[in-house]
Amino acid sequence: MSSLAISSILGFLAGLLLLVRVLFHEERSPMRSALGWFLLAAAAECLIMALLISPNISFAFSIELHRVRILTMVIWSAALLRFSLIYGRGDYAEVLRRWRIPLSVVTIAPPLVLLGSWYTVARVVWLEGNSSRPFLIQGFGGRAAGLLVILLGILVLMNLERTLRVSIGTMRWRLKYTVLGIGLFTVVRLFTATQELLHATVVLSW
């Protein structure tokens, strides 16, 4: 088993365990709801990555998994944006009220657009001279989703930076490690999303 497969499985298990802890916590809040959706979508993406690496996966199923993976990226990006607006904020109700329209748009519209243009998210082509080597190409839907993930990632980093800047005292130390972890995760996803846009063609080995 490759290191990428192992890390994907570990990411799936970690996300699943954290999700269970969030779901069974006594306190219910918009922050925990947003965190739960983020963990669910992130764990699903890790599971999809582990399945894509498997040598026993069929050709048609792998293409569908690529499309589902892009959909999960959009879902957890929107959930992470909502979390970044709420976390560590005493006035989170007012913040959510001001952001209700943008949050509704990025939460509902992108998944509906992707589902409506499902076959443009990713497609397979056979290039001349390479008839035995199929290429997986991101279509308009996949590229638009990648740009959205990058935009939402930038907004997440801006919100986390603002939250950390206005925090004081012991609360600042409590927030620092969470902001550092989520910020690092977001930066890595920004890098990978950018690479997927720049190198949108993948050679399939089937």
Coordinates of all heavy atoms in Angstrom, one line a residue, residues 43-125:
A43 N -13.8 14.1 5.3 CA -13.6 12.6 5.4 C -14.0 11.9 4.2 O -13.3 10.9 3.7 CB -14.4 12.1 6.6
A44 N -15.1 12.3 3.5 CA -15.5 11.7 2.3 C -14.5 11.9 1.2 O -14.2 10.9 0.4 CB -16.9 12.3 1.9
E45 N -13.9 13.0 1.1 CA -12.8 13.2 0.1 C -11.6 12.3 0.3 O -11.1 11.8 -0.6 CB -12.4 14.7 0.1 CG -11.4 15.0 -1.1 CD -10.9 16.4 -1.1 OE1 -11.3 17.2 -0.2 OE2 -10.1 16.7 -2.0
C46 N -11.2 12.2 1.6 CA -10.1 11.3 1.9 C -10.5 9.8 1.5 O -9.6 9.1 1.0 CB -9.8 11.3 3.4 SG -9.0 12.9 3.9
L47 N -11.7 9.4 1.8 CA -12.1 8.1 1.4 C -12.1 7.9 -0.1 O -11.7 6.9 -0.7 CB -13.5 7.8 1.9 CG -14.1 6.4 1.6 CD1 -13.3 5.3 2.1 CD2 -15.5 6.3 2.1
I48 N -12.5 8.9 -0.8 CA -12.5 8.9 -2.3 C -11.1 8.8 -2.8 O -10.8 8.0 -3.8 CB -13.3 10.1 -2.9 CG1 -14.8 10.0 -2.6 CG2 -13.0 10.2 -4.4 CD1 -15.5 11.3 -2.9
M49 N -10.2 9.5 -2.2 CA -8.8 9.5 -2.7 C -8.2 8.1 -2.4 O -7.5 7.5 -3.3 CB -8.0 10.5 -1.9 CG -8.3 11.9 -2.3 SD -7.9 12.3 -4.0 CE -6.1 11.9 -4.1
A50 N -8.6 7.4 -1.3 CA -8.1 6.1 -1.1 C -8.7 5.1 -2.1 O -8.0 4.2 -2.5 CB -8.5 5.7 0.4
L51 N -9.9 5.3 -2.5 CA -10.5 4.4 -3.5 C -9.9 4.6 -4.9 O -9.7 3.7 -5.6 CB -12.0 4.7 -3.5 CG -12.9 4.2 -2.3 CD1 -14.3 4.7 -2.5 CD2 -12.8 2.7 -2.1
L52 N -9.6 5.9 -5.2 CA -9.0 6.1 -6.5 C -7.6 5.5 -6.7 O -7.2 5.2 -7.8 CB -8.9 7.7 -6.7 CG -10.2 8.4 -7.0 CD1 -10.0 9.9 -7.0 CD2 -10.8 7.9 -8.3
I53 N -6.9 5.4 -5.6 CA -5.6 4.8 -5.6 C -5.6 3.3 -5.8 O -4.7 2.6 -6.2 CB -4.8 5.2 -4.4 CG1 -4.7 6.7 -4.3 CG2 -3.4 4.6 -4.4 CD1 -4.1 7.2 -3.0
S54 N -6.8 2.7 -5.4 CA -6.9 1.2 -5.4 C -6.8 0.7 -6.8 O -7.4 1.2 -7.8 CB -8.3 0.8 -4.9 OG -8.5 -0.6 -5.0
P55 N -6.0 -0.4 -7.0 CA -5.8 -0.9 -8.4 C -7.0 -1.7 -8.9 O -7.1 -2.0 -10.1 CB -4.6 -1.8 -8.2 CG -4.6 -2.2 -6.8 CD -5.1 -1.1 -6.1
N56 N -7.9 -2.0 -8.0 CA -9.1 -2.9 -8.4 C -10.3 -2.1 -8.8 O -11.3 -2.7 -9.1 CB -9.4 -3.8 -7.2 CG -8.3 -4.7 -6.8 OD1 -7.6 -5.2 -7.7 ND2 -8.2 -4.9 -5.5
I57 N -10.2 -0.8 -8.9 CA -11.3 0.1 -9.2 C -11.5 0.1 -10.7 O -10.6 0.0 -11.5 CB -11.1 1.5 -8.6 CG1 -12.3 2.4 -8.8 CG2 -9.9 2.2 -9.4 CD1 -12.2 3.7 -8.2
S58 N -12.8 0.1 -11.1 CA -13.1 0.1 -12.5 C -12.9 1.5 -13.1 O -12.9 2.5 -12.4 CB -14.5 -0.3 -12.7 OG -15.5 0.6 -12.2
F59 N -12.8 1.5 -14.5 CA -12.5 2.7 -15.2 C -13.7 3.7 -15.0 O -13.5 4.9 -14.7 CB -12.3 2.4 -16.6 CG -12.0 3.6 -17.5 CD1 -10.8 4.2 -17.5 CD2 -13.0 4.1 -18.3 CE1 -10.6 5.3 -18.3 CE2 -12.8 5.2 -19.1 CZ -11.6 5.8 -19.1
A60 N -14.9 3.3 -15.3 CA -16.1 4.1 -15.2 C -16.3 4.7 -13.8 O -16.7 5.8 -13.6 CB -17.3 3.4 -15.7
F61 N -16.1 3.8 -12.8 CA -16.3 4.2 -11.4 C -15.3 5.2 -11.0 O -15.6 6.1 -10.2 CB -16.2 3.0 -10.5 CG -16.6 3.2 -9.1 CD1 -17.8 3.9 -8.8 CD2 -15.8 2.8 -8.1 CE1 -18.1 4.1 -7.4 CE2 -16.1 3.1 -6.7 CZ -17.3 3.7 -6.4
S62 N -14.1 5.1 -11.5 CA -13.1 6.1 -11.1 C -13.4 7.5 -11.6 O -13.2 8.5 -10.9 CB -11.7 5.7 -11.6 OG -11.7 5.8 -13.1
I63 N -14.0 7.6 -12.8 CA -14.4 8.9 -13.3 C -15.5 9.5 -12.5 O -15.5 10.7 -12.2 CB -14.9 8.7 -14.8 CG1 -13.8 8.2 -15.6 CG2 -15.4 10.1 -15.4 CD1 -14.2 7.8 -17.0
E64 N -16.5 8.7 -12.1 CA -17.6 9.2 -11.2 C -17.0 9.6 -9.8 O -17.4 10.6 -9.3 CB -18.6 8.1 -11.0 CG -19.4 7.7 -12.2 CD -20.2 8.9 -12.7 OE1 -20.7 9.8 -11.9 OE2 -20.2 9.1 -14.0
L65 N -16.0 8.9 -9.3 CA -15.4 9.3 -8.1 C -14.7 10.7 -8.2 O -14.7 11.5 -7.3 CB -14.4 8.2 -7.6 CG -15.0 7.0 -7.0 CD1 -13.9 6.0 -6.6 CD2 -15.8 7.3 -5.8
H66 N -14.0 10.9 -9.3 CA -13.4 12.2 -9.5 C -14.4 13.3 -9.5 O -14.2 14.4 -8.9 CB -12.7 12.2 -10.9 CG -11.3 11.7 -10.9 ND1 -10.2 12.3 -10.3 CD2 -10.8 10.5 -11.4 CE1 -9.1 11.6 -10.4 NE2 -9.5 10.5 -11.1
R67 N -15.6 13.1 -10.1 CA -16.6 14.1 -10.0 C -17.2 14.3 -8.6 O -17.4 15.5 -8.2 CB -17.7 13.7 -11.0 CG -17.3 13.7 -12.4 CD -18.3 13.0 -13.3 NE -18.0 13.1 -14.7 CZ -18.4 12.3 -15.7 NH1 -19.2 11.3 -15.3 NH2 -18.0 12.4 -16.9
V68 N -17.4 13.2 -7.9 CA -17.8 13.3 -6.5 C -16.8 14.0 -5.6 O -17.2 14.8 -4.7 CB -18.2 11.9 -6.0 CG1 -18.6 12.0 -4.5 CG2 -19.3 11.3 -6.8
R69 N -15.5 13.8 -5.9 CA -14.5 14.4 -5.1 C -14.5 15.9 -5.2 O -14.4 16.7 -4.3 CB -13.1 13.9 -5.5 CG -12.0 14.4 -4.6 CD -10.6 13.9 -5.1 NE -10.3 14.5 -6.5 CZ -9.8 15.6 -6.7 NH1 -9.5 16.4 -5.6 NH2 -9.5 16.1 -7.9
I70 N -14.7 16.4 -6.5 CA -14.8 17.8 -6.7 C -16.0 18.4 -6.0 O -16.0 19.5 -5.4 CB -14.9 18.1 -8.2 CG1 -13.5 17.7 -8.9 CG2 -15.2 19.6 -8.5 CD1 -13.5 17.8 -10.4
L71 N -17.1 17.7 -6.0 CA -18.3 18.1 -5.3 C -18.1 18.2 -3.8 O -18.5 19.2 -3.1 CB -19.5 17.2 -5.6 CG -20.8 17.5 -4.9 CD1 -21.3 18.8 -5.3 CD2 -21.8 16.4 -5.2
T72 N -17.4 17.3 -3.2 CA -17.1 17.3 -1.8 C -16.2 18.5 -1.4 O -16.3 19.1 -0.4 CB -16.4 16.0 -1.3 OG1 -15.2 15.8 -2.0 CG2 -17.4 14.8 -1.5
M73 N -15.2 18.8 -2.4 CA -14.4 20.0 -2.1 C -15.2 21.3 -2.0 O -14.9 22.1 -1.1 CB -13.4 20.1 -3.3 CG -12.3 19.1 -3.3 SD -11.3 19.2 -4.8 CE -10.8 20.9 -4.8
V74 N -16.2 21.4 -2.8 CA -17.0 22.6 -2.8 C -17.8 22.7 -1.5 O -18.0 23.7 -0.9 CB -18.0 22.7 -4.0 CG1 -19.0 23.8 -3.9 CG2 -17.2 22.8 -5.3
I75 N -18.3 21.5 -1.1 CA -19.2 21.4 0.1 C -18.3 21.8 1.4 O -18.7 22.6 2.2 CB -19.8 20.1 0.3 CG1 -20.8 19.8 -0.8 CG2 -20.5 19.9 1.7 CD1 -21.4 18.4 -0.8
W76 N -17.1 21.2 1.5 CA -16.4 21.5 2.7 C -15.8 22.9 2.7 O -15.6 23.5 3.8 CB -15.3 20.4 3.0 CG -14.2 20.3 2.1 CD1 -13.9 19.2 1.3 CD2 -13.0 21.2 2.0 NE1 -12.7 19.4 0.7 CE2 -12.2 20.6 1.0 CE3 -12.7 22.4 2.5 CZ2 -11.0 21.2 0.6 CZ3 -11.5 23.1 2.1 CH2 -10.7 22.5 1.2
S77 N -15.6 23.5 1.5 CA -15.1 24.8 1.4 C -16.2 25.8 1.9 O -15.8 26.8 2.7 CB -14.7 25.2 0.0 OG -13.6 24.4 -0.4
A78 N -17.4 25.6 1.6 CA -18.5 26.4 2.0 C -18.7 26.3 3.5 O -18.9 27.3 4.3 CB -19.8 26.1 1.3
A79 N -18.6 25.0 4.0 CA -18.8 24.8 5.5 C -17.6 25.4 6.3 O -17.8 26.0 7.3 CB -18.8 23.3 5.8
L80 N -16.4 25.4 5.7 CA -15.3 26.0 6.4 C -15.4 27.5 6.4 O -15.0 28.2 7.4 CB -14.0 25.6 5.7 CG -12.7 25.8 6.5 CD1 -12.7 25.2 7.9 CD2 -11.5 25.4 5.7
L81 N -15.9 28.1 5.4 CA -16.1 29.5 5.4 C -17.1 29.9 6.5 O -16.9 30.9 7.2 CB -16.7 30.0 4.0 CG -17.1 31.5 3.9 CD1 -15.9 32.4 4.1 CD2 -17.7 31.8 2.5
R82 N -18.2 29.2 6.6 CA -19.2 29.4 7.7 C -18.5 29.3 9.1 O -18.7 30.1 9.9 CB -20.4 28.5 7.6 CG -21.5 28.7 8.5 CD -22.6 27.7 8.3 NE -23.7 28.0 9.2 CZ -24.7 28.8 9.0 NH1 -24.8 29.4 7.9 NH2 -25.7 28.9 9.9
F83 N -17.7 28.3 9.2 CA -17.0 28.1 10.5 C -16.1 29.2 10.8 O -16.0 29.7 12.0 CB -16.2 26.7 10.5 CG -15.4 26.5 11.7 CD1 -16.0 26.0 12.8 CD2 -14.1 26.8 11.7 CE1 -15.3 25.7 14.0 CE2 -13.3 26.5 12.8 CZ -13.9 26.0 14.0
S84 N -15.3 29.7 9.8 CA -14.4 30.8 10.0 C -15.1 32.1 10.4 O -14.5 32.9 11.1 CB -13.5 31.0 8.8 OG -14.3 31.5 7.7
L85 N -16.3 32.3 10.0 CA -17.1 33.5 10.4 C -17.6 33.4 11.8 O -17.9 34.4 12.4 CB -18.3 33.6 9.4 CG -17.9 34.0 8.0 CD1 -19.2 33.9 7.1 CD2 -17.4 35.5 7.9
I86 N -17.8 32.2 12.3 CA -18.4 32.0 13.6 C -17.4 31.8 14.7 O -17.5 32.3 15.8 CB -19.3 30.8 13.6 CG1 -20.5 31.0 12.6 CG2 -19.9 30.5 15.0 CD1 -21.3 29.8 12.4
Y87 N -16.3 31.1 14.4 CA -15.4 30.6 15.5 C -14.8 31.8 16.2 O -14.2 32.7 15.6 CB -14.3 29.8 14.9 CG -13.4 29.2 15.9 CD1 -13.8 28.2 16.8 CD2 -12.1 29.7 16.0 CE1 -13.0 27.7 17.8 CE2 -11.2 29.1 17.0 CZ -11.7 28.2 17.9 OH -10.8 27.7 18.8
G88 N -14.8 31.8 17.5 CA -14.2 32.8 18.4 C -14.9 34.2 18.3 O -14.3 35.1 18.9
R89 N -16.1 34.2 17.8 CA -16.8 35.5 17.7 C -17.9 35.6 18.7 O -18.8 34.7 18.7 CB -17.4 35.7 16.3 CG -16.4 35.7 15.1 CD -15.6 37.0 15.1 NE -14.7 37.0 13.9 CZ -15.1 37.5 12.7 NH1 -16.3 38.0 12.6 NH2 -14.3 37.5 11.7
G90 N -17.9 36.6 19.5 CA -19.1 36.8 20.4 C -20.3 37.3 19.8 O -21.4 37.0 20.2
D91 N -20.1 38.0 18.6 CA -21.3 38.5 17.9 C -21.5 37.7 16.6 O -21.9 38.2 15.6 CB -21.0 40.0 17.5 CG -19.7 40.1 16.6 OD1 -18.9 39.2 16.6 OD2 -19.6 41.1 15.9
Y92 N -21.4 36.4 16.7 CA -21.5 35.5 15.5 C -22.9 35.6 14.9 O -23.1 35.4 13.7 CB -21.1 34.1 15.8 CG -22.1 33.3 16.7 CD1 -23.2 32.7 16.1 CD2 -21.9 33.2 18.0 CE1 -24.1 32.0 16.9 CE2 -22.7 32.5 18.8 CZ -23.8 31.9 18.3 OH -24.7 31.2 19.1
A93 N -23.9 35.8 15.7 CA -25.3 36.0 15.2 C -25.4 37.1 14.3 O -26.0 37.0 13.2 CB -26.3 36.1 16.3
E94 N -24.8 38.2 14.6 CA -24.8 39.4 13.8 C -24.0 39.2 12.5 O -24.3 39.6 11.4 CB -24.2 40.6 14.5 CG -24.1 41.9 13.7 CD -25.5 42.4 13.2 OE1 -26.5 42.1 13.8 OE2 -25.5 43.2 12.3
V95 N -22.8 38.5 12.7 CA -22.0 38.2 11.5 C -22.7 37.3 10.5 O -22.7 37.5 9.3 CB -20.7 37.5 11.9 CG1 -19.9 37.0 10.7 CG2 -19.9 38.5 12.8
L96 N -23.4 36.3 11.0 CA -24.2 35.4 10.2 C -25.3 36.1 9.5 O -25.7 35.8 8.3 CB -24.8 34.2 11.0 CG -23.8 33.2 11.4 CD1 -24.5 32.1 12.2 CD2 -23.0 32.5 10.2
R97 N -25.9 37.1 10.2 CA -27.0 37.9 9.6 C -26.5 38.7 8.4 O -27.1 38.8 7.3 CB -27.6 38.8 10.6 CG -28.9 39.5 10.1 CD -29.3 40.6 11.1 NE -28.4 41.7 11.2 CZ -28.3 42.7 10.4 NH1 -29.1 42.7 9.3 NH2 -27.4 43.6 10.5
R98 N -25.3 39.3 8.5 CA -24.7 40.1 7.5 C -24.3 39.2 6.3 O -24.3 39.6 5.1 CB -23.5 40.9 8.0 CG -23.9 42.0 9.0 CD -22.7 43.0 9.1 NE -21.4 42.4 9.3 CZ -20.9 42.2 10.6 NH1 -21.6 42.7 11.6 NH2 -19.8 41.7 10.7
W99 N -23.9 38.0 6.6 CA -23.3 37.1 5.5 C -24.4 36.1 5.1 O -24.0 35.2 4.3 CB -22.1 36.3 6.1 CG -20.9 37.1 6.0 CD1 -20.5 38.1 6.9 CD2 -19.8 36.9 5.1 NE1 -19.2 38.6 6.6 CE2 -18.8 37.9 5.5 CE3 -19.5 36.1 4.1 CZ2 -17.6 38.0 4.8 CZ3 -18.3 36.2 3.4 CH2 -17.4 37.1 3.7
R100 N -25.6 36.2 5.4 CA -26.6 35.2 5.1 C -26.8 35.0 3.6 O -27.0 33.8 3.2 CB -28.0 35.5 5.8 CG -28.7 36.8 5.3 CD -30.0 37.0 6.1 NE -30.7 38.1 5.6 CZ -30.5 39.4 5.9 NH1 -29.5 39.6 6.8 NH2 -31.2 40.3 5.4
I101 N -26.8 36.1 2.9 CA -27.0 35.9 1.4 C -25.8 35.3 0.8 O -25.9 34.3 0.0 CB -27.3 37.3 0.8 CG1 -28.7 37.8 1.3 CG2 -27.4 37.1 -0.7 CD1 -29.1 39.1 0.7
P102 N -24.5 35.8 1.0 CA -23.4 35.1 0.4 C -23.2 33.7 0.8 O -22.9 32.8 0.0 CB -22.2 36.0 0.9 CG -22.8 37.3 1.2 CD -24.1 37.0 1.7
L103 N -23.5 33.4 2.1 CA -23.4 32.0 2.6 C -24.4 31.1 1.9 O -24.1 30.0 1.6 CB -23.5 32.0 4.1 CG -22.3 32.4 4.9 CD1 -22.7 32.4 6.4 CD2 -21.2 31.5 4.7
S104 N -25.6 31.6 1.8 CA -26.7 30.8 1.1 C -26.3 30.5 -0.4 O -26.5 29.4 -0.8 CB -28.0 31.6 1.1 OG -28.4 31.8 2.5
V105 N -25.7 31.5 -1.0 CA -25.3 31.3 -2.4 C -24.2 30.3 -2.6 O -24.3 29.4 -3.4 CB -24.9 32.7 -3.0 CG1 -24.3 32.5 -4.4 CG2 -26.0 33.7 -3.1
V106 N -23.1 30.4 -1.8 CA -22.0 29.5 -1.9 C -22.3 28.1 -1.4 O -21.7 27.1 -1.7 CB -20.7 30.0 -1.2 CG1 -20.3 31.4 -1.8 CG2 -20.9 30.1 0.3
T107 N -23.4 28.0 -0.5 CA -23.7 26.7 0.0 C -24.7 25.9 -0.9 O -24.6 24.7 -1.0 CB -24.4 26.9 1.4 OG1 -23.5 27.5 2.3 CG2 -24.8 25.5 2.0
I108 N -25.6 26.6 -1.5 CA -26.6 26.0 -2.3 C -26.3 26.0 -3.8 O -26.5 24.9 -4.5 CB -28.0 26.7 -2.1 CG1 -28.4 26.5 -0.6 CG2 -29.1 26.0 -2.9 CD1 -29.6 27.3 -0.2
A109 N -25.9 27.1 -4.3 CA -25.8 27.2 -5.8 C -24.7 26.3 -6.4 O -25.0 25.6 -7.4 CB -25.5 28.7 -6.2
P110 N -23.5 26.3 -5.9 CA -22.4 25.5 -6.5 C -22.7 24.0 -6.6 O -22.6 23.4 -7.7 CB -21.2 25.8 -5.7 CG -21.4 27.1 -5.1 CD -22.9 27.2 -4.8
P111 N -23.2 23.4 -5.5 CA -23.6 21.9 -5.7 C -24.7 21.7 -6.7 O -24.6 20.7 -7.5 CB -24.0 21.5 -4.3 CG -23.3 22.5 -3.4 CD -23.3 23.8 -4.1
L112 N -25.7 22.6 -6.8 CA -26.7 22.4 -7.7 C -26.2 22.6 -9.2 O -26.6 21.9 -10.1 CB -27.8 23.5 -7.5 CG -28.7 23.2 -6.2 CD1 -29.7 24.3 -6.1 CD2 -29.3 21.9 -6.2
V113 N -25.3 23.6 -9.4 CA -24.7 23.8 -10.7 C -23.9 22.6 -11.1 O -23.9 22.1 -12.2 CB -23.9 25.1 -10.7 CG1 -23.1 25.2 -12.0 CG2 -24.7 26.3 -10.5
L114 N -23.1 22.0 -10.2 CA -22.3 20.9 -10.5 C -23.1 19.7 -10.8 O -22.8 18.9 -11.7 CB -21.3 20.5 -9.3 CG -20.1 21.5 -9.1 CD1 -19.4 21.0 -7.8 CD2 -19.2 21.5 -10.3
L115 N -24.2 19.5 -10.0 CA -25.1 18.3 -10.3 C -25.8 18.5 -11.7 O -26.0 17.5 -12.4 CB -26.1 18.2 -9.2 CG -25.5 17.7 -7.8 CD1 -26.6 17.7 -6.8 CD2 -24.9 16.3 -8.0
G116 N -26.1 19.8 -12.0 CA -26.8 20.0 -13.3 C -25.9 19.9 -14.5 O -26.3 19.7 -15.6
S117 N -24.6 20.1 -14.3 CA -23.6 19.9 -15.4 C -22.6 18.8 -15.0 O -21.4 19.0 -15.1 CB -22.9 21.3 -15.6 OG -22.2 21.7 -14.4
W118 N -23.1 17.7 -14.5 CA -22.3 16.6 -14.0 C -21.3 16.1 -14.9 O -20.1 15.9 -14.6 CB -23.2 15.5 -13.5 CG -22.6 14.4 -12.8 CD1 -22.3 13.1 -13.1 CD2 -22.0 14.5 -11.4 NE1 -21.7 12.4 -12.1 CE2 -21.5 13.3 -11.1 CE3 -21.9 15.6 -10.5 CZ2 -20.9 13.0 -9.8 CZ3 -21.3 15.4 -9.3 CH2 -20.8 14.1 -9.0
Y119 N -21.6 16.0 -16.2 CA -20.7 15.4 -17.2 C -19.7 16.4 -17.7 O -18.8 16.0 -18.5 CB -21.5 14.8 -18.3 CG -22.3 13.6 -17.9 CD1 -23.7 13.7 -17.7 CD2 -21.7 12.4 -17.6 CE1 -24.4 12.6 -17.2 CE2 -22.5 11.3 -17.1 CZ -23.8 11.4 -17.0 OH -24.6 10.4 -16.5
T120 N -19.8 17.7 -17.3 CA -18.8 18.6 -17.7 C -17.7 18.8 -16.6 O -16.8 19.6 -16.7 CB -19.4 20.0 -18.0 OG1 -20.0 20.6 -16.9 CG2 -20.5 19.8 -19.1
V121 N -18.0 18.2 -15.4 CA -17.1 18.4 -14.3 C -15.7 17.7 -14.6 O -14.7 18.3 -14.4 CB -17.6 17.8 -13.0 CG1 -16.6 17.8 -11.9 CG2 -18.9 18.5 -12.6
A122 N -15.8 16.5 -15.2 CA -14.6 15.8 -15.6 C -15.0 14.8 -16.7 O -16.1 14.2 -16.7 CB -13.9 15.0 -14.5
R123 N -14.2 14.7 -17.7 CA -14.5 13.8 -18.8 C -13.2 13.2 -19.3 O -12.1 13.6 -19.1 CB -15.2 14.6 -20.0 CG -14.4 15.8 -20.5 CD -15.2 16.7 -21.4 NE -14.5 17.8 -21.9 CZ -13.7 17.9 -22.9 NH1 -13.7 16.8 -23.7 NH2 -13.1 18.9 -23.3
V124 N -13.4 12.1 -20.1 CA -12.3 11.3 -20.6 C -12.2 11.5 -22.1 O -13.2 11.5 -22.8 CB -12.4 9.8 -20.3 CG1 -11.3 9.0 -20.9 CG2 -12.4 9.6 -18.8
V125 N -11.0 11.7 -22.6 CA -10.7 11.9 -24.0 C -9.6 10.9 -24.4 O -8.7 10.6 -23.6 CB -10.4 13.3 -24.4 CG1 -11.5 14.3 -24.1 CG2 -9.1 13.8 -23.7

